[in-house]
Amino acid sequence: MAWWKVSSAGKDVNPDLASERTFPSFNVETLTNILDGGVEETRHRRSVVSTIQKDPVFSLENLYFKTRAERYEGAVRNIFHLKRKMKELGWEDNGKEMEYAYRALSGEHALNIHNVFLRSLTALGTDEQIAKWLPLANNYQILGTYAQTELGHGTYLRGLETTATFDPATQEFIIDTPKITATKWWPGDLGKTSTHALVLAQLHSKGKNYGMHPFIVPIRCLKDHSPLPGITVGDIGPKMSFEQIDNGYLMMRNIRIPKENMLSRFSEVLPDGSYVKRGSDKINYFTMIAVRVSMIRGEVVEALMKACTIAVRYSAVRRQSELKPGAQEAKILDYQTQQQKLLPLLATCYSIHFMAKYLNDFYNKVFKEIRKEDFNSLAELHAVVSGLKAFATEICSNGVEVCRKACGGHGYSLYSGIPSIYTKVVASCTYEGENTVLHLQAARFLIKCFGAAQSGKPLPGTTSYLSTRLSGGCQANTHLDFLNPDVYIKAYESRAYSSIAAAASKLHRLVQSGAEQYEAWNSTSVELVKASIAHIHYIIVKTFVSTLSSLSAPPEIKTVLQRLCDLYALHGIFTSAGDFLQHGYMTGKQLDLATTAYLVLLAELRKDAVLLVDAFDFTDQQLISALGTYDGNVYHNLLEWAQRNPDNKKVSPVFEKYLKPYLQSNQSKL
Amino acid sequence: MAWWKVSSAGKDVNPDLASERTFPSFNVETLTNILDGGVEETRHRRSVVSTIQKDPVFSLENLYFKTRAERYEGAVRNIFHLKRKMKELGWEDNGKEMEYAYRALSGEHALNIHNVFLRSLTALGTDEQIAKWLPLANNYQILGTYAQTELGHGTYLRGLETTATFDPATQEFIIDTPKITATKWWPGDLGKTSTHALVLAQLHSKGKNYGMHPFIVPIRCLKDHSPLPGITVGDIGPKMSFEQIDNGYLMMRNIRIPKENMLSRFSEVLPDGSYVKRGSDKINYFTMIAVRVSMIRGEVVEALMKACTIAVRYSAVRRQSELKPGAQEAKILDYQTQQQKLLPLLATCYSIHFMAKYLNDFYNKVFKEIRKEDFNSLAELHAVVSGLKAFATEICSNGVEVCRKACGGHGYSLYSGIPSIYTKVVASCTYEGENTVLHLQAARFLIKCFGAAQSGKPLPGTTSYLSTRLSGGCQANTHLDFLNPDVYIKAYESRAYSSIAAAASKLHRLVQSGAEQYEAWNSTSVELVKASIAHIHYIIVKTFVSTLSSLSAPPEIKTVLQRLCDLYALHGIFTSAGDFLQHGYMTGKQLDLATTAYLVLLAELRKDAVLLVDAFDFTDQQLISALGTYDGNVYHNLLEWAQRNPDNKKVSPVFEKYLKPYLQSNQSKL
């Protein structure tokens, strides 16, 4: 077959990619097992992924050519098909299989927020309420959404304006959108799908506002799906990504719902309108933490892992310019500047992965404590999760863009797969808590701990280092000293300590000189965000080091992981050098040594780069990338995809309407 | 009218935005005139923009709801309509009016690369060739594209694989795509529009390769627009943005074109196949520089200006959380962290704007010299333009994303206008020279200058500071000292000097210890990129300061511009602190002082922020943003746009196909 009639990618692996795998310095499969948490987990994950990918209904082919309407329809089709399939195969709701299946679908499924509706119902409803609504929702006889955010209000829940006013005469709540800014805005599945909304509203009874409470409000007719009287509902329109999701808006004009529709596990309105609170709802607060923990692993690091896989493989295939005069054009991965873009990100994938694992264990520990009514560790967990969510979403989404740009022009094509990864993952900087807000929450905890340390009080584990400032400066004398984890951990510790101490001292100074507490806080917030970043960065480095020291793995795997850990730590010193120098812990000369060590590591890790992304074990179907396939046949893929583009088969009306009159005038000169 | 029946945005300016303009500290119109380059220029620009925007054919309404095919058709319609309109109004091709008109169309017009075809034809063709082809192309009787980049080859022109082999028997060239990687890929207007391509190909004659030359190749039939025999052509498919542009691919299988189709101003093949070179083609190299100079002003800074306008106005309207306990929710612009995100970017707009102006003057000076065959300043101009292109595109595109995220959830909606600005401007990091490659080119010039300085040779203006290292360290003792431009200019100079010196010394050391020159260069390239950044950053700061010192403007405008200049410089010190500390020019204590000065400036500039974006003078139609309208009625806009979304009027097949069977089963429980 002539080369220009590309009908399917070649079966052979591109020799430039094959050569990267010829003499592996470690066993990739073993590393995959470590990432998965065991051989059995790898097997299980692969079996689910393969079940999904073998099913033609779930095909993601031609995704980049689809309209929003087609993507939405596909996402709905997928979730209903998956529901049936799960039943057939005996996969449990919310089990491991479902997690793997969702990941295999790359987010192309609807009813995510229906699941949030389910979770919230279970958490906030009484046993009777759960008994009534849960089976209906589980069987898709009703479809729910979770309507909290409003057009004019996000993070600050007390600012929400939707009202639920109790009417004792009819034993109903009147749900109302009193102003344009109170319009519910953003809930997923709301735009075109849901029949019921779990509405968060200010509860008014007997003239008093009791704050935010959850209410189940029917919004669409179950017979014909039309909006119920008093309801205005629709899709909020196109976003940067998530074309398949119908985020919606909702206005309710004095809708009446029965009293029983207020979810009442933690509080209730009695028939006479009096308000009763019961138990602690701290557990809800815990749900939010759970969501953040799972998103870091499930969406955020995975996005960067995919982008690294694509960019690293492409960089081993793409050749450009002479590196050595007269030689063949070099693989772009051989350029130091390309290594500097990609390898620290690869190290970031591993570091955040291990950090997320640590956090998951921490979470499970606190979960057990909470069930015994022990809330001691909750504030600490909340602070670490907030800081990590903000840190990881920022670093991973920026990293995905770096990977994309590192693929040059082809990175800009949707076929590279990276634009879609970026425009999706970057949303995580904003949802589930805006990053700056989260850093400031984490900082509040750190300032509190710092104050406690000053008064000699004991500190929780992650902040215990605040009890004593490290004495002396960095001890490194040669660049090799920077490959000693103890050396860089101390540098990170010192940076975190100094940043927190500086912010605390500025706060103190401002209040001493007469500023109100809130003014002082606002005037210090730039430094407070820096302090939170320095703290979480330190925890991540420390966690990577301690994970490796307790890891049982073959020595060659330990070696490569240690290099990644070193690279991660030294790259952080290189890029945030000011923080390490400012308070005098390190000297400019030591920074030079750290830089040398860092650049040497780039060259060392370069040879393992392809293996290290192979270990993430993404299938080609998961990557949806012409540049990132396992076989490295990138140019065949690009051309094949372009030729497959349905747009190339349609006749554009442009020729007849606009071009023809010009092109066909006065052609004698040609 | 009830508030929920929003049919058009309110006419009144949102009081939260109006209050920002009540007591302006300077005259916004005067600042606009300064940015435009005079009162008359402002008037002229506004008159063109208004002409375009009044014409319903050019309406950009509902842009975010359109498919790729609709966007493409609209772009073709717009350019043909503009062509007629320009003729009517007597606007010249490539004149100021056309520039303003293009900007008013926000890129929604086709045939950009047809213009590159025209320019290249004029630059590379003989007088006869120009006489033949130019009128045809000018009248759209043929539509051209410029086909250089190939599927497997970008920046490195010598690597291009398309061949043009001279056949003396027929006096023709045989144009061929010998391999899949030689497929022409990316040219704009090629996918569905062009009839002719200016193909760059390796010229072979008498068995010898003479390198890259330009050939005019007919590709589509003028009668029915079908591809000519031997031609395979199509659209490369969806990209991160530029939906309206039909970037294409092109394969040519032994296409024969007459000898006259080789553009022969600088070289020619004689009938016997011998090759003749004439004159210098350095001027072509100059064309590339011209494109970069104009893109920085015309696309790159403008993108950041638009994003800042949207984000700053929105931040004065959006209220969130209590800043002061018990008070109304605060404008988010009053939070220091929000100021820290937006105000340095606002300062960046001004600094890059003035730098681009300086560069334009520099360019014009060199242009005049070159016409007198004086090529002395060409290398210097090339280095500054390369460095600035890389620096500005990176900083501006990252800045646009910061603005977007600073708008929280609403920034993620296409209605904010910022996603489209970002996905478009970020392409500029890659096209017209990949940024890392450009920084390394600039660095090569800097290293050369540094070497010349060491041997006491004279240096060109922008690098003259390399002749002597500043003696002594930074002299600042209080934070107010950092508002002295002399203090921060020296800090930037010292940082640039040290970075370049460090890279030069490493290169020298590596070569001394036996490395090949190319290896040493590659192993130093991370530092070389840093050196180029430090150099260009210094030039930008210096240019901002010198622009202000020679500017005649009312004192209150000088005051605010001086603050922007100070903020720009101090923000750079704050964010790249390591560079300023590493070589000992500044101390950690001085960095604290600089940080203090920087944070004080944030608070001072906050009150002028809205005025400073108003001065950019974008119309609402240019911003295409629900968040950025002059009247600040953001919530009305969002709701109106959502309700206007045609998708909300269509009935999705999803209910009938997927939901109904579930929703209508067993409803007795409800």
Side-chain angles (χ1 to χ4, degrees):
Chain A
M1 189 177 64
W3 64 256
W4 59 81
K5 296 249 175 191
V6 182
S7 65
S8 73
K11 286 270 175 278
D12 292 340
V13 174
N14 183 314
D16 279 336
L17 197 50
S19 67
E20 301 281 338
R21 297 173 178 135
T22 316
F23 303 106
S25 66
F26 61 89
N27 186 305
V28 172
E29 180 69 13
T30 309
L31 184 51
T32 300
N33 298 154
I34 290 171
L35 289 169
D36 278 325
V39 177
E40 182 47 32
E41 272 305 318
T42 302
R43 197 207 51 75
H44 190 192
R45 175 178 56 74
R46 282 188 188 146
S47 121
V48 173
V49 169
S50 143
T51 303
I52 296 295
Q53 293 183 340
K54 269 191 213 140
D55 188 329
V57 172
F58 293 129
S59 166
L60 298 176
E61 222 178 64
N62 295 332
L63 195 67
Y64 301 132
F65 304 130
K66 296 202 167 135
T67 63
R68 271 195 80 203
E70 288 165 347
R71 291 278 292 274
Y72 166 65
E73 185 177 340
V76 172
R77 182 197 61 224
N78 284 350
I79 199 71
F80 281 91
H81 187 64
L82 181 63
K83 180 88 178 174
R84 275 191 299 273
K85 193 148 196 138
M86 284 177 62
K87 214 167 182 177
E88 267 168 49
L89 297 169
W91 293 352
E92 273 177 39
D93 274 340
N94 301 312
K96 247 332 191 190
E97 291 92 353
M98 188 170 119
E99 186 194 320
Y100 292 143
Y102 276 16
R103 280 160 67 182
L105 288 172
S106 289
E108 294 296 316
H109 55 86
L111 301 191
N112 274 312
I113 308 302
H114 176 74
N115 286 340
V116 175
F117 173 90
L118 276 169
R119 267 206 303 275
S120 306
L121 172 67
T122 319
L124 306 173
T126 60
D127 293 348
E128 303 78 44
Q129 290 175 320
I130 296 173
K132 172 178 177 184
W133 296 102
L134 195 67
L136 291 168
N138 264 336
N139 297 326
Y140 295 169
Q141 292 171 278
I142 64 168
L143 298 170
T145 184
Y146 181 85
Q148 177 176 302
T149 304
E150 296 174 358
L151 190 47
H153 307 279
T155 306
Y156 184 66
L157 299 189
R158 272 184 288 162
L160 295 173
E161 296 176 295
T162 302
T163 54
T165 309
F166 185 62
D167 178 358
T170 60
Q171 296 289 302
E172 289 171 319
F173 287 104
I174 304 162
I175 310 288
D176 193 47
T177 304
K179 299 166 60 179
I180 184 171
T181 43
T183 306
K184 293 294 179 185
W185 196 269
W186 279 115
D189 303 328
L190 170 63
K192 301 161 186 267
T193 319
S194 312
T195 62
H196 289 68
L198 200 162
V199 170
L200 278 287
Q202 303 286 354
L203 167 62
H204 292 266
S205 186
K206 291 179 158 181
K208 201 178 155 197
N209 181 359
Y210 292 95
M212 292 289 298
H213 287 76
F215 302 85
I216 293 186
V217 181
I219 57 170
R220 281 190 179 94
C221 169
L222 296 172
K223 290 222 175 87
D224 64 6
H225 215 235
S226 62
L228 294 173
I231 295 287
T232 306
V233 62
D235 189 295
I236 61 166
K239 298 140 293 185
M240 208 163 169
S241 181
F242 290 99
E243 292 87 348
Q244 76 278 21
I245 303 297
D246 56 325
N247 299 83
Y249 64 92
L250 172 66
M251 292 181 274
M252 296 161 285
R253 262 165 288 145
N254 294 317
I255 300 298
R256 288 183 165 262
I257 56 168
K259 181 176 164 301
E260 299 78 50
N261 280 23
M262 169 171 155
L263 295 182
S264 299
R265 174 167 295 265
F266 299 106
S267 48
E268 197 180 355
V269 174
L270 301 181
D272 70 346
S274 49
Y275 177 81
V276 187
K277 214 171 158 49
R278 61 172 102 89
S280 156
D281 56 358
K282 270 195 185 157
I283 194 85
N284 295 329
Y285 179 65
F286 197 65
T287 311
M288 191 174 65
I289 296 179
V291 172
R292 288 178 189 157
V293 171
S294 90
M295 75 183 263
I296 295 168
R297 256 184 85 193
E299 299 156 41
V300 179
V301 195
E302 186 172 282
L304 186 58
M305 287 175 167
K306 284 183 176 175
C308 281
T309 304
I310 295 166
V312 167
R313 287 182 183 162
Y314 178 65
S315 299
V317 167
R318 177 73 172 186
R319 289 177 171 275
Q320 185 141 309
S321 303
E322 289 174 348
L323 180 54
K324 184 174 176 183
Q328 188 188 5
E329 286 187 77
K331 291 181 174 185
I332 56 176
L333 192 53
D334 287 325
Y335 290 95
Q336 189 189 50
T337 47
Q338 188 77 353
Q339 293 163 12
Q340 137 95 348
K341 288 173 193 175
L342 300 180
L343 303 185
L345 291 173
L346 189 48
T348 302
C349 294
Y350 281 87
S351 68
I352 306 284
H353 172 86
F354 290 126
M355 178 68 193
K357 221 159 188 168
Y358 157 83
L359 209 58
N360 208 46
D361 296 345
F362 189 8
Y363 171 85
N364 288 330
K365 177 184 149 279
V366 177
F367 185 67
K368 277 186 201 139
E369 290 170 6
I370 286 182
R371 300 188 133 217
K372 296 179 202 146
E373 298 281 308
D374 167 5
F375 294 99
N376 277 327
S377 302
L378 190 56
E380 184 189 9
L381 177 66
H382 178 257
V384 186
V385 173
S386 300
L388 183 66
K389 186 275 180 187
F391 186 90
T393 54
E394 190 77 17
I395 219 89
C396 291
S397 55
N398 289 346
V400 170
E401 255 312 63
V402 171
C403 289
R404 192 187 62 67
K405 290 187 206 161
C407 294
H410 292 318
Y412 195 70
S413 164
L414 290 201
Y415 302 157
S416 75
I418 315 187
S420 314
I421 298 174
Y422 175 69
T423 52
K424 206 157 134 185
V425 72
V426 74
S428 68
C429 294
T430 309
Y431 64 64
E432 294 302 335
E434 196 277 332
N435 282 353
T436 304
V437 173
L438 291 185
H439 271 311
L440 288 171
Q441 286 177 3
R444 203 173 280 280
F445 178 76
L446 296 174
I447 293 293
K448 207 188 264 175
C449 289
F450 190 79
Q454 301 302 97
S455 7
K457 289 187 195 132
L459 297 177
T462 52
T463 61
S464 60
Y465 71 100
L466 293 176
S467 59
T468 27
R469 186 193 275 270
L470 282 175
S471 57
C474 175
Q475 298 299 312
N477 292 311
T478 72
H479 79 271
L480 293 175
D481 290 339
F482 277 103
L483 301 182
N484 177 352
D486 196 45
V487 168
Y488 56 69
I489 285 184
K490 278 198 178 130
Y492 274 89
E493 179 181 328
S494 162
R495 170 205 187 202
Y497 186 100
S498 302
S499 307
I500 296 165
S505 121
K506 179 170 170 183
L507 272 175
H508 184 71
R509 207 170 56 242
L510 290 173
V511 172
Q512 290 291 306
S513 55
E516 296 278 348
Q517 184 65 42
Y518 76 89
E519 288 171 320
W521 183 264
N522 190 29
S523 303
T524 312
S525 52
V526 165
E527 284 104 333
L528 287 163
V529 169
K530 278 190 75 161
S532 169
I533 290 171
H535 171 73
I536 199 74
H537 208 165
Y538 163 58
I539 303 290
I540 294 170
V541 169
K542 216 171 73 162
T543 303
F544 202 160
V545 171
S546 66
T547 302
L548 295 188
S549 72
S550 65
L551 185 75
S552 69
E556 61 280 11
I557 287 199
K558 289 205 134 191
T559 302
V560 72
L561 287 177
Q562 188 59 54
R563 279 192 188 134
L564 285 171
C565 179
D566 297 344
L567 183 73
Y568 180 76
L570 297 181
H571 176 256
I573 293 176
F574 179 72
T575 50
S576 307
D579 292 0
F580 291 87
L581 297 175
Q582 181 167 14
H583 302 284
Y585 184 79
M586 273 174 67
T587 64
K589 175 80 191 121
Q590 286 172 326
L591 181 60
D592 287 342
L593 299 174
T595 303
T596 303
Y598 161 63
L599 295 176
V600 169
L601 277 170
L602 284 184
E604 284 176 357
L605 276 162
R606 183 261 166 260
K607 66 176 194 312
D608 292 323
V610 168
L611 306 173
L612 286 167
V613 300
D614 284 352
F616 296 147
D617 199 33
F618 292 111
T619 62
D620 288 352
Q621 292 96 314
Q622 280 174 296
L623 296 174
I624 327 180
S625 167
L627 307 186
T629 50
Y630 188 84
D631 67 11
N633 288 315
V634 303
Y635 302 118
H636 277 84
N637 295 337
L638 283 168
L639 194 54
E640 191 203 340
W641 293 22
Q643 299 196 330
R644 208 204 289 158
N645 182 355
D647 215 29
N648 275 327
K649 282 154 202 159
K650 286 177 209 147
V651 175
S652 160
V654 158
F655 173 68
E656 287 292 332
K657 274 166 87 171
Y658 301 102
L659 313 186
K660 202 170 167 182
Y662 285 92
L663 297 181
Q664 300 189 357
S665 67
N666 190 23
Q667 289 301 346
S668 58
K669 289 184 193 155
L670 275 172
Chain B
M1 190 176 66
W3 64 257
W4 58 81
K5 296 249 173 189
V6 182
S7 65
S8 71
K11 285 270 174 276
D12 293 339
V13 174
N14 183 313
D16 279 336
L17 197 49
S19 67
E20 301 281 337
R21 297 172 178 136
T22 316
F23 303 106
S25 66
F26 61 88
N27 185 305
V28 172
E29 181 70 13
T30 310
L31 185 51
T32 299
N33 298 154
I34 291 171
L35 290 168
D36 277 323
V39 176
E40 181 47 32
E41 272 305 320
T42 301
R43 196 206 52 75
H44 190 192
R45 175 179 55 75
R46 282 189 189 145
S47 119
V48 173
V49 168
S50 142
T51 303
I52 297 294
Q53 293 184 342
K54 270 191 210 139
D55 189 329
V57 172
F58 292 130
S59 166
L60 297 175
E61 222 179 65
N62 294 332
L63 195 67
Y64 301 132
F65 303 131
K66 294 198 167 139
T67 62
R68 271 195 80 204
E70 290 164 346
R71 291 278 292 275
Y72 165 66
E73 184 178 341
V76 173
R77 183 197 61 223
N78 285 348
I79 199 72
F80 281 91
H81 187 64
L82 181 64
K83 180 88 177 172
R84 276 191 298 274
K85 191 147 198 141
M86 284 177 63
K87 215 167 181 177
E88 266 168 49
L89 297 169
W91 293 351
E92 275 177 40
D93 273 341
N94 300 313
K96 250 325 194 192
E97 290 91 354
M98 189 170 119
E99 186 195 321
Y100 292 143
Y102 276 16
R103 280 159 67 183
L105 288 172
S106 288
E108 293 297 316
H109 55 86
L111 302 192
N112 274 311
I113 308 302
H114 176 73
N115 287 339
V116 175
F117 174 89
L118 275 168
R119 266 206 303 274
S120 307
L121 172 66
T122 319
L124 306 173
T126 60
D127 293 347
E128 303 76 46
Q129 289 174 320
I130 295 173
K132 173 179 175 183
W133 295 102
L134 195 68
L136 291 169
N138 264 335
N139 297 325
Y140 294 169
Q141 291 170 279
I142 65 168
L143 298 169
T145 184
Y146 181 86
Q148 177 174 302
T149 304
E150 295 174 358
L151 190 47
H153 307 279
T155 305
Y156 185 65
L157 300 189
R158 274 184 286 163
L160 294 174
E161 296 176 293
T162 301
T163 54
T165 309
F166 185 62
D167 178 359
T170 61
Q171 296 288 303
E172 290 172 320
F173 288 104
I174 304 162
I175 310 288
D176 192 47
T177 304
K179 300 166 60 179
I180 183 170
T181 43
T183 306
K184 294 292 178 185
W185 197 269
W186 278 116
D189 304 328
L190 170 63
K192 299 162 186 263
T193 319
S194 314
T195 61
H196 288 68
L198 200 162
V199 170
L200 278 286
Q202 305 285 354
L203 167 61
H204 292 266
S205 186
K206 291 179 158 183
K208 202 179 154 195
N209 180 359
Y210 291 96
M212 292 289 300
H213 286 75
F215 303 85
I216 293 186
V217 181
I219 56 171
R220 281 192 179 94
C221 170
L222 295 173
K223 291 224 175 82
D224 65 5
H225 215 235
S226 61
L228 295 172
I231 295 288
T232 305
V233 63
D235 189 295
I236 61 166
K239 298 140 294 184
M240 208 164 168
S241 181
F242 291 97
E243 291 86 348
Q244 76 280 20
I245 304 297
D246 57 324
N247 299 83
Y249 65 93
L250 171 66
M251 291 182 276
M252 295 160 287
R253 262 166 288 144
N254 294 318
I255 300 299
R256 288 182 166 261
I257 57 168
K259 181 175 163 302
E260 300 77 49
N261 280 22
M262 171 171 153
L263 295 182
S264 298
R265 175 168 294 265
F266 299 107
S267 49
E268 197 178 355
V269 174
L270 301 181
D272 70 345
S274 51
Y275 176 81
V276 187
K277 218 175 153 51
R278 62 171 100 88
S280 156
D281 58 355
K282 269 195 185 157
I283 194 86
N284 296 331
Y285 179 64
F286 197 65
T287 311
M288 193 175 63
I289 296 180
V291 172
R292 288 179 190 157
V293 171
S294 88
M295 76 182 261
I296 295 168
R297 255 183 88 195
E299 298 155 42
V300 179
V301 195
E302 186 172 282
L304 185 57
M305 286 175 168
K306 283 182 177 176
C308 281
T309 304
I310 295 166
V312 167
R313 287 181 183 162
Y314 178 64
S315 298
V317 167
R318 178 72 173 188
R319 290 178 170 275
Q320 187 142 306
S321 301
E322 289 174 350
L323 179 53
K324 183 175 174 181
Q328 188 188 6
E329 286 187 77
K331 292 180 174 186
I332 56 177
L333 193 53
D334 288 324
Y335 290 95
Q336 189 189 49
T337 47
Q338 188 77 353
Q339 294 162 12
Q340 137 96 347
K341 289 174 192 174
L342 300 180
L343 303 185
L345 292 172
L346 189 49
T348 301
C349 294
Y350 281 87
S351 68
I352 306 285
H353 172 84
F354 290 125
M355 178 68 193
K357 220 158 189 169
Y358 157 84
L359 208 59
N360 209 46
D361 295 345
F362 189 10
Y363 171 85
N364 288 330
K365 177 183 148 282
V366 178
F367 186 65
K368 278 187 200 139
E369 292 170 5
I370 286 182
R371 299 187 135 218
K372 296 179 201 148
E373 297 282 310
D374 167 4
F375 293 100
N376 277 326
S377 301
L378 190 57
E380 184 189 9
L381 177 66
H382 179 256
V384 186
V385 172
S386 300
L388 183 65
K389 187 274 180 187
F391 186 90
T393 54
E394 190 78 16
I395 219 89
C396 290
S397 55
N398 288 346
V400 170
E401 256 310 65
V402 171
C403 289
R404 192 188 62 67
K405 289 187 205 160
C407 294
H410 292 318
Y412 195 71
S413 164
L414 290 201
Y415 302 158
S416 75
I418 315 188
S420 314
I421 298 174
Y422 176 69
T423 51
K424 205 157 136 186
V425 72
V426 75
S428 68
C429 294
T430 309
Y431 65 64
E432 295 302 335
E434 196 276 330
N435 282 352
T436 304
V437 173
L438 291 185
H439 271 310
L440 288 172
Q441 286 178 3
R444 203 173 280 280
F445 178 75
L446 296 174
I447 293 294
K448 208 187 263 175
C449 289
F450 189 79
Q454 302 302 97
S455 8
K457 290 188 195 133
L459 297 177
T462 51
T463 61
S464 60
Y465 70 100
L466 292 177
S467 59
T468 27
R469 186 193 275 269
L470 280 175
S471 58
C474 174
Q475 297 300 311
N477 292 313
T478 72
H479 79 271
L480 293 174
D481 290 339
F482 276 102
L483 301 182
N484 177 353
D486 196 46
V487 168
Y488 56 71
I489 284 184
K490 279 197 177 132
Y492 274 89
E493 179 182 328
S494 162
R495 170 205 186 200
Y497 186 99
S498 303
S499 307
I500 297 166
S505 122
K506 179 169 171 184
L507 272 174
H508 184 72
R509 207 169 58 240
L510 291 173
V511 172
Q512 289 290 306
S513 56
E516 296 278 350
Q517 185 64 44
Y518 76 90
E519 288 172 320
W521 183 264
N522 191 29
S523 303
T524 313
S525 52
V526 165
E527 285 103 333
L528 288 163
V529 169
K530 277 191 76 162
S532 169
I533 290 172
H535 171 72
I536 198 74
H537 208 166
Y538 162 57
I539 302 290
I540 295 171
V541 168
K542 216 170 74 163
T543 303
F544 203 161
V545 171
S546 65
T547 302
L548 295 189
S549 71
S550 64
L551 184 74
S552 69
E556 63 277 11
I557 288 199
K558 288 205 135 194
T559 303
V560 73
L561 288 177
Q562 188 58 54
R563 277 191 192 138
L564 285 170
C565 179
D566 298 344
L567 183 73
Y568 180 75
L570 296 180
H571 176 256
I573 293 175
F574 179 72
T575 49
S576 305
D579 292 0
F580 292 86
L581 297 174
Q582 182 167 15
H583 302 284
Y585 184 80
M586 273 174 66
T587 64
K589 174 81 189 122
Q590 286 172 325
L591 181 61
D592 288 342
L593 298 175
T595 303
T596 303
Y598 161 63
L599 294 176
V600 170
L601 277 170
L602 284 184
E604 283 175 358
L605 276 163
R606 184 258 167 264
K607 68 177 191 313
D608 293 323
V610 168
L611 306 173
L612 286 165
V613 300
D614 284 351
F616 297 145
D617 199 33
F618 292 112
T619 62
D620 289 352
Q621 291 97 315
Q622 281 174 295
L623 295 174
I624 328 181
S625 167
L627 306 187
T629 50
Y630 187 84
D631 68 11
N633 287 315
V634 304
Y635 301 117
H636 276 84
N637 295 337
L638 283 169
L639 194 53
E640 190 204 339
W641 293 22
Q643 297 195 331
R644 208 204 289 158
N645 182 355
D647 215 27
N648 275 328
K649 283 152 201 159
K650 286 176 208 145
V651 175
S652 159
V654 158
F655 172 68
E656 286 293 331
K657 273 165 89 172
Y658 301 102
L659 312 186
K660 203 170 165 181
Y662 285 91
L663 297 181
Q664 300 189 357
S665 68
N666 190 23
Q667 288 303 345
S668 58
K669 288 182 192 158
L670 274 172

